[in-house]
Amino acid sequence: MRESKHKVGLIFFPAFDWAISPDHPEREERLLYTRDQIMEEGLFDIPGIEEFRPAIASDAQINRTHICVPSTSEVITESHRIAAGGTITAADLVLNGEVDRSFALLRPPGHHAMRVVHGSRGFCVVNNEAIMVEHIRHTYGPNLRIAIVDTDAHHGDGTQDIFYNDPGVLHISLHQDGRTLYPGSGFMNERGGPAAYGQTINVPLPPGTGDEGILYVLEHLVLPILAEFEPDVIVNAAGQDNHYTDPLTNMNFTAQGYARLTELLSPDIVVLEGGYSIEGALPYVNAGLILALAGLDYSAAREPDWSEDKVKQSPRVTEAVKGIVGQLQRMWSTRHDVDLGAVFGTGRVFERRRQIYYDTDGIMEEQLEHIRLCPNCSGWRSIYSGATRGLGRATLIAAVLIPWHCCPQCRREAENRHDANAAESRFRHVYLQDVEKDVFIGS
Amino acid sequence: MYIIGIDVGGTNTDVALIKDDVVVATGKVPTDHDNLAESTAAALECILDTYSGQESLKLHLSTTLCTNTIIEGKGEPTAVLAVPGPGMRIEDLGLGFAVQILEGSVDHRGREVAGISISEVHDALKAASAEGTAALAIVGKFSHRNPAQELAIEEVAKNAYPEFRHITLGHRLSGRPNFPRRLSTSYLNAGVAKTQARFVDMIQRVMVRGKDIGPVFVLKADGGTMTLEDSLIRPVETILSGPAASIMGARALTAYPKENAVIVDIGGTTTDIAVQIGGEAVFQRQGAEIAGHRTLVPALFARSIGLGGDSEIRVLSEEADSGTARLEIGPKRAGIPAALGGSRATPTDAAVTLGLASIGDVERARKAVAIIGVELGYGIEEAARAIIDAFTNKLTKEIEDTYAYLESRPVYTVSELLASPDIRPKAIIGLGGPAHVFIPKAAEAIGLAWEVLPRYQEANAIGSGASRPTAAVTLHADTALGTITVPEMDYVGKLRTKRLFDLEKARTDARQWAYKKGRSLGITSLEDIVIIEEESFNMVRGFYTTGRIFTIRAQVRPDVRRVRAAKIGGRSQ
Ligand SMILES: [Zn+2]
Ligand SMILES: [Zn+2]
């Protein structure tokens, strides 16, 4: 068999015995046909493509990213630990130099899971990529620059939330316009927090965007930005629900388009996100993606029912995409000229209030967040969060986050705040998450 | 009851006569490749004196014939017609043989997506026929889910092109996925069919001439047997039966038949490591590999390493903390041991030097080992001990690597990932000439019980005789489509009562099919059929359950006849 150009590690874990519920899209059957296709294609026999077992993520690894309420072990299942652990394995394989690239082809997905986790939203509980990013920085160096390109049809709102004030991470999300699809966010004006302004880039695409449009965004926006950001690691959050057969979305992406995207992007690590056309899309998209990742010819990897008419992008969409790209190019190139004082205020802290809905679990969260506007570091953060299930009483928690490269002043303030939180009886739980010292306190 | 086990190897033809559970005679004749019938007959002759002629007699044959034919590239020219549909390009598969690509396509659930073109099939067959090809392989992607296109092409070939005497269809060889492997397996099968046919013909003549021999069984790569008739249809399954015979011999003779154990066969050039878990041999994950071809032929797992009694010994110049660590043994062969007239020291010479083996000339062995000693700055005995230790270290490391590899084999369910069974060995079953030198030391290093089987030279023939029938089927049912297939049995059916077809029914059906396949092999009870893999998926479309998918693999319970032969053994603790 032709040897792959790039050595690829595949962490394939279809979790054939786990479902959110029997008829949920995130069910046992989801990767069955993908398994059948890649086995039948003999992809695991290609010299240079190797399969690996996923690791199982520990509480400590998850707690570097999340504040799980009440605790990590109480909100996640073993399947989530394996999905996060498999993503960590994908990172280790690449960063150890064992393979050139890796693909965590596993479930359940994670990109809708935010920093604070009260339950499951958008089929996600914990954020696989984010947990992996913290593992990378913890294990291989806190100064590694990481770019996440999220190509799922849904806005990667969880990942955006986790890294929106993180200067070490660039987050680009390409998705169907939030006015027409869950989670209803991901607009161009969401650009990141005071310490990482401009490093959150949202590309809301009109319904009907196909290969042409997505590849246009890649070539004219994503690749130039990556070239400028100079990441050490490129991660592709590879949701496959932008496929023309997906039942939940209205996009027109194909297996060929996905393979080409992979070839152009040259990601170090690919992580499966959504994608629920389990028969018509996933088997073919994944086969094409794996071939492209390995640097092999993928020209014959297409859907059996593919036809040009089916996936043609309308001229109106093409124009719209060009317009969006033009605007985002300008925003990127002028990001340093923006007066941050006008955006975040000139006080000691920036405050944001949000409501977050957990569709899968039916939870409403109210969140108040303070970011210390610090001239010496990205600033410590304080989060107050109350979650209500149905008509029940809200559970109120307080969390303090100490970022990478935290200045001594911020660290003191943060630790004091945590002590003060702990002394207050109105908080059911208080947390301190210190990524820099790798300390997590939850009580 | 008597069984004759024969292993026709590359150099020798070994034979063993088993009476009930005792090896009563063994023999050996040189293999005559130009006249296999003669040398096989000679092997039979040398033990038939022991046979009274009163009781029933079975013959188990393991032959390297197809293996050699493939390795030497002497198979019949074979035309391969493939229906790949979309996916990986055939030219990237690196198959090592030409493939004629035909229109048509079947998807992962076995639905026909694009039809074949009969006129294109005719063109392809005409072209192959014009080249004088007599062997034909027809292989479709996903043909294990729906063989209709393969069957349609076969029909054209059979009706209009009688010149194709050996036709192999991919789906009949295996119910497992992997199109490239299905292509290779089918190609090899069609290519060796004529060779096997000639061999079977010879065997039948030998039998007529000899005494009244009962049914003849042929050994396969999975360490089981099939009928002589089946070997004409699926000759490719006889590849690598020699190594399988040795493993089966070890399993027939071992004192650890039901435990987790590692079988280590130390030869002159290589050491082969096989694994037994709870009394069953471990299989290759997908299938045998031979001469660069990856196949779907079920095969016993064996890891072959370049380490043996005749291995080359090199002294590394780098500083290391001990002489042992400075020694590199294998993977190349040095030649015959110095004790036997070779020019360089080998591990065998180290054993001879220390009086652990009595082979050839001790003085020659000592002289050769002394040269290594000078390089290390050691005396002769010290150098010999360092060589033995280096060999043992490499062996234990390879055993550890083997288990690490097996334990890292992927699993696809949460329960399997969380609760992996304990496969670690409790004992080393050693065989091969140098085994008695190294196995006790390796066992001590790992902390295992050990035994060395004394009749290692006949283990292959004993294993051939002690082997039992194996046969497996794969049942795939899709209640939404209302289809049920058992490719190995060439069965495609419609589910009449989709709603009533459940997992229990799927299991029952699969067992029945395996039983049907096993009957020709002498299986007389459904009790001997076991289910080894099963999958059951609910299919949900638009929030409604539309059907279920079942894949059940059932097989004749693999077994080995336990036989007795004197042996030595011990425990390390
Ligand atoms: Zn999605
Ligand atoms: Zn600070």
Side-chain angles (χ1 to χ4, degrees):
Chain A
M1 200 161 297
R2 184 154 298 178
E3 195 167 338
S4 66
K5 210 161 26 167
H6 312 286
K7 202 165 177 227
V8 174
L10 268 179
I11 299 89
F12 178 53
F13 192 74
F16 280 150
D17 54 352
W18 184 83
I20 289 182
S21 63
D23 54 4
H24 194 279
E26 202 48 72
R27 64 178 179 274
E28 296 90 342
E29 188 194 359
R30 184 170 168 226
L31 292 175
L32 171 63
Y33 312 103
T34 295
R35 191 271 316 257
D36 287 353
Q37 193 76 34
I38 59 183
M39 288 282 183
E40 179 67 357
E41 297 287 355
L43 296 185
F44 293 139
D45 276 341
I46 297 174
I49 297 185
E50 207 183 323
E51 207 181 348
F52 294 87
R53 270 195 194 203
I56 300 171
S58 65
D59 284 1
Q61 286 172 322
I62 294 166
N63 289 344
R64 288 182 193 132
T65 292
H66 290 293
I67 311 282
C68 292
V69 183
S71 70
T72 304
S73 57
E74 283 169 89
V75 295
I76 64 169
T77 66
E78 292 301 324
S79 309
H80 298 104
R81 285 190 197 276
I82 297 167
T87 310
I88 286 173
T89 303
D92 282 337
L93 288 170
V94 171
L95 283 128
N96 288 336
E98 206 169 324
V99 300
D100 302 323
R101 297 162 166 195
S102 62
F103 183 12
L105 179 46
L106 41 71
R107 52 180 286 267
H111 77 147
H112 294 305
M114 299 191 171
R115 173 79 57 184
V116 177
V117 175
H118 289 280
S120 175
R121 58 187 303 275
F123 315 166
C124 306
V125 178
V126 290
N127 195 308
N128 301 328
E129 285 106 39
I131 293 168
M132 175 191 73
V133 166
E134 290 305 0
H135 170 78
I136 291 174
R137 293 198 288 199
H138 177 76
T139 313
Y140 303 97
N143 294 325
L144 288 171
R145 289 163 71 78
I146 294 157
I148 300 173
V149 181
D150 186 324
T151 49
D152 188 281
H154 301 92
H155 175 222
D157 57 345
T159 318
Q160 171 172 316
D161 173 69
I162 292 166
F163 296 117
Y164 95 115
N165 197 45
D166 193 323
V169 177
L170 173 76
H171 185 249
I172 308 178
S173 179
L174 278 65
H175 46 262
Q176 184 176 326
D177 193 320
R179 290 170 297 189
T180 61
L181 191 68
Y182 177 88
S185 56
F187 300 103
M188 287 190 274
N189 62 359
E190 299 164 34
R191 303 181 66 185
Y197 193 72
Q199 284 181 213
T200 292
I201 294 151
N202 282 298
V203 191
L205 297 165
T209 304
D211 293 355
E212 191 190 337
I214 292 177
L215 295 173
Y216 182 88
V217 175
L218 205 78
E219 287 182 73
H220 293 89
L221 186 71
V222 177
L223 295 180
I225 291 176
L226 288 176
E228 210 179 314
F229 184 75
E230 293 188 316
D232 297 295
V233 181
I234 299 177
V235 181
N236 179 207
Q240 300 173 3
D241 41 11
N242 39 28
H243 193 263
Y244 67 91
T245 61
D246 196 90
L248 307 182
T249 68
N250 318 93
M251 305 288 269
N252 265 344
F253 214 35
T254 72
Q256 281 291 302
Y258 227 114
R260 177 75 181 138
L261 178 147
T262 305
E263 187 177 32
L264 286 173
L265 185 61
S266 301
D268 300 293
I269 301 161
V270 180
V271 184
L272 177 69
E273 283 297 338
Y276 300 95
S277 173
I278 60 176
E279 280 202 72
L282 267 60
Y284 309 106
V285 171
N286 283 310
L289 200 162
I290 292 167
L291 288 174
L293 207 55
L296 292 166
D297 189 316
Y298 55 78
S299 61
R302 53 177 172 74
E303 304 79 357
D305 70 341
W306 178 89
S307 77
E308 205 169 343
D309 307 341
K310 234 179 217 174
V311 295
K312 216 175 170 130
Q313 179 176 300
S314 78
R316 190 185 52 78
V317 168
T318 306
E319 279 317 299
V321 170
K322 283 186 178 164
I324 292 159
V325 167
Q327 204 174 333
L328 287 166
Q329 282 167 334
R330 281 190 297 281
M331 287 164 71
W332 171 255
S333 56
T334 59
R335 67 193 184 285
H336 297 305
D337 309 333
V338 173
D339 173 13
L340 294 184
V343 181
F344 299 102
T346 50
R348 289 185 76 249
V349 295
F350 166 65
E351 176 179 300
R352 95 174 157 159
R353 274 173 197 278
R354 293 186 297 162
Q355 283 198 330
I356 298 158
Y357 183 59
Y358 292 65
D359 59 317
T360 311
D361 278 354
I363 297 168
M364 183 57 86
E365 179 191 356
E366 299 257 3
Q367 206 184 88
L368 172 67
E369 180 181 8
H370 289 133
I371 302 177
R372 174 76 160 90
L373 296 173
C374 173
N376 300 317
C377 76
S378 65
W380 69 278
R381 288 150 76 185
S382 154
I383 295 174
Y384 302 103
S385 161
T388 320
R389 265 171 213 266
L391 299 169
R393 272 180 56 124
T395 307
L396 195 60
I397 65 108
V400 169
L401 315 182
I402 298 179
W404 286 106
H405 312 297
C406 188
C407 74
Q409 169 77 18
C410 280
R411 175 170 291 282
R412 252 192 324 275
E413 289 177 20
E415 285 165 355
N416 288 342
R417 166 64 66 198
H418 175 68
D419 292 343
N421 286 345
E424 279 202 50
S425 60
R426 64 189 170 120
F427 301 125
R428 181 88 62 88
H429 302 283
V430 295
Y431 304 90
L432 175 72
Q433 184 183 60
D434 181 348
V435 280
E436 193 162 45
K437 288 195 172 165
D438 200 26
V439 168
F440 182 86
I441 299 167
S443 60
Chain B
M1 185 203 50
Y2 284 87
I3 302 172
I4 301 173
I6 294 189
D7 181 31
V8 182
T11 317
N12 291 317
T13 297
D14 291 297
V15 58
L17 181 66
I18 299 169
K19 180 180 192 298
D20 300 324
D21 60 350
V22 181
V23 181
V24 291
T26 57
K28 183 190 290 289
V29 298
T31 301
D32 181 352
H33 289 282
D34 298 325
N35 202 340
L36 273 177
E38 279 304 320
S39 56
T40 307
L44 274 173
E45 293 298 333
C46 77
I47 54 147
L48 275 179
D49 306 340
T50 328
Y51 165 57
S52 64
Q54 302 302 314
E55 291 177 67
S56 67
L57 181 64
K58 278 199 282 187
L59 177 60
H60 286 194
L61 255 175
S62 158
T63 157
T64 186
L65 187 64
C66 289
T67 306
N68 280 357
T69 305
I70 290 167
I71 289 172
E72 290 164 12
K74 288 185 179 158
E76 290 294 298
T78 302
V80 182
L81 306 192
V83 185
M88 201 166 158
R89 299 188 321 154
I90 292 260
E91 44 280 44
D92 290 342
L93 298 179
L95 293 169
F97 51 87
V99 173
Q100 181 62 48
I101 296 171
L102 299 179
E103 280 174 34
S105 159
V106 170
D107 78 0
H108 45 76
R109 281 182 60 200
R111 292 169 296 207
E112 186 172 58
V113 177
I116 55 167
S117 152
I118 295 295
S119 68
E120 192 191 40
V121 171
H122 276 289
D123 291 347
L125 290 171
K126 264 182 223 151
S129 172
E131 289 182 20
T133 313
L136 176 65
I138 303 165
V139 187
K141 191 177 283 178
F142 289 114
S143 67
H144 62 306
R145 292 284 161 81
N146 179 359
Q149 296 188 337
E150 283 184 3
L151 292 167
I153 297 168
E154 182 192 37
E155 195 172 310
V156 175
K158 277 195 163 162
N159 289 341
Y161 304 88
E163 56 270 39
F164 294 109
R165 283 188 298 279
H166 299 287
I167 304 180
T168 295
L169 268 58
H171 73 274
R172 288 183 188 138
L173 294 178
S174 173
R176 293 196 185 274
N178 200 319
F179 176 62
R181 283 180 184 255
R182 195 176 305 119
L183 277 165
S184 294
T185 314
S186 306
Y187 163 78
L188 296 176
N189 193 66
V192 296
K194 190 174 171 184
T195 309
Q196 182 71 9
R198 253 190 265 136
F199 179 70
V200 168
D201 194 47
M202 273 190 271
I203 291 301
Q204 276 159 345
R205 271 186 279 133
V206 169
M207 286 161 51
V208 171
R209 197 183 55 179
K211 300 189 188 174
D212 186 22
I213 296 174
V216 178
F217 291 88
V218 179
L219 203 70
K220 302 184 292 179
D222 68 354
T225 58
M226 64 176 159
T227 64
L228 200 58
E229 294 71 41
D230 275 351
S231 80
L232 293 169
I233 301 165
R234 293 191 300 279
V236 71
E237 292 188 3
T238 69
I239 58 169
L240 307 178
S241 65
S246 293
I247 296 170
M248 295 311 280
R251 299 191 54 228
L253 294 165
T254 180
Y256 305 97
K258 293 288 167 203
E259 282 153 64
N260 287 359
V262 58
I263 300 167
V264 179
D265 185 350
I266 307 176
T269 315
T270 61
T271 291
D272 296 314
I273 300 172
V275 173
Q276 170 182 296
I277 300 174
E280 288 191 16
V282 172
F283 278 65
Q284 301 277 17
R285 191 166 174 230
Q286 296 216 62
E289 291 190 35
I290 182 166
H293 300 286
R294 291 167 193 250
T295 76
L296 286 169
V297 174
L300 297 183
F301 170 84
R303 186 186 180 102
S304 191
I305 52 172
L307 182 70
D310 306 341
S311 286
E312 181 183 71
I313 302 168
R314 285 177 300 134
V315 180
L316 305 176
S317 54
E318 298 93 80
E319 286 303 311
D321 43 5
S322 76
T324 302
R326 284 184 61 198
L327 290 173
E328 174 90 11
I329 304 194
K332 272 196 279 187
R333 188 183 144 87
I336 55 169
L340 294 174
S343 57
R344 288 187 287 166
T346 65
T348 299
D349 293 309
V352 170
T353 298
L354 295 174
L356 298 170
S358 43
I359 298 167
D361 182 341
V362 181
E363 274 318 304
R364 287 190 57 101
R366 290 179 65 88
K367 265 185 206 150
V369 171
I371 296 171
I372 304 272
V374 168
E375 284 189 69
L376 290 173
Y378 283 1
I380 296 182
E381 271 83 18
E382 205 181 354
R385 273 193 294 275
I387 292 168
I388 302 285
D389 287 347
F391 189 109
T392 307
N393 289 351
K394 185 161 177 181
L395 180 60
T396 54
K397 187 186 171 299
E398 291 288 350
I399 292 172
E400 169 57 36
D401 286 356
T402 301
Y403 280 88
Y405 163 77
L406 290 173
E407 284 168 343
S408 71
R409 292 214 279 201
V411 293
Y412 295 152
T413 59
V414 175
S415 57
E416 284 174 287
L417 190 74
L418 296 179
S420 301
D422 178 18
I423 65 168
R424 291 278 164 168
K426 306 281 176 284
I428 305 184
I429 303 166
L431 61 165
H436 71 280
V437 177
F438 301 107
I439 294 296
K441 287 188 189 301
E444 190 178 5
I446 316 176
L448 300 176
W450 61 273
E451 67 175 334
V452 172
L453 301 176
R455 312 189 67 162
Y456 67 89
Q457 281 164 325
E458 296 106 33
N460 53 343
I462 294 170
S464 175
S467 58
R468 302 267 202 181
T470 52
V473 298
T474 316
L475 178 141
H476 184 81
D478 183 324
T479 71
L481 296 176
T483 55
I484 178 165
T485 54
V486 186
E488 296 92 341
M489 302 299 282
D490 224 343
Y491 175 76
V492 180
K494 282 269 157 229
L495 289 174
R496 254 180 287 279
T497 49
K498 294 182 195 180
R499 246 170 277 279
L500 297 178
F501 195 89
D502 58 7
L503 182 57
E504 212 33 63
K505 179 84 176 94
R507 286 178 183 149
T508 309
D509 279 13
R511 287 166 56 95
Q512 286 292 348
W513 281 110
Y515 180 53
K516 191 175 174 191
K517 194 172 183 194
R519 266 199 310 239
S520 64
L521 294 159
I523 298 301
T524 53
S525 163
L526 257 174
E527 299 284 300
D528 291 328
I529 305 298
V530 289
I531 288 171
I532 45 166
E533 287 167 32
E534 68 175 38
E535 285 184 357
S536 157
F537 288 94
N538 258 338
M539 305 177 66
V540 179
R541 297 295 176 270
F543 291 92
Y544 294 99
T545 300
T546 54
R548 301 188 73 180
I549 289 184
F550 303 102
T551 307
I552 315 281
R553 199 163 160 84
Q555 69 177 22
V556 173
R557 191 193 308 274
D559 202 358
V560 64
R561 180 178 301 276
R562 302 271 303 131
V563 296
R564 279 184 288 133
K567 61 182 166 295
I568 52 169
R571 280 181 179 275
S572 62
Q573 285 108 354

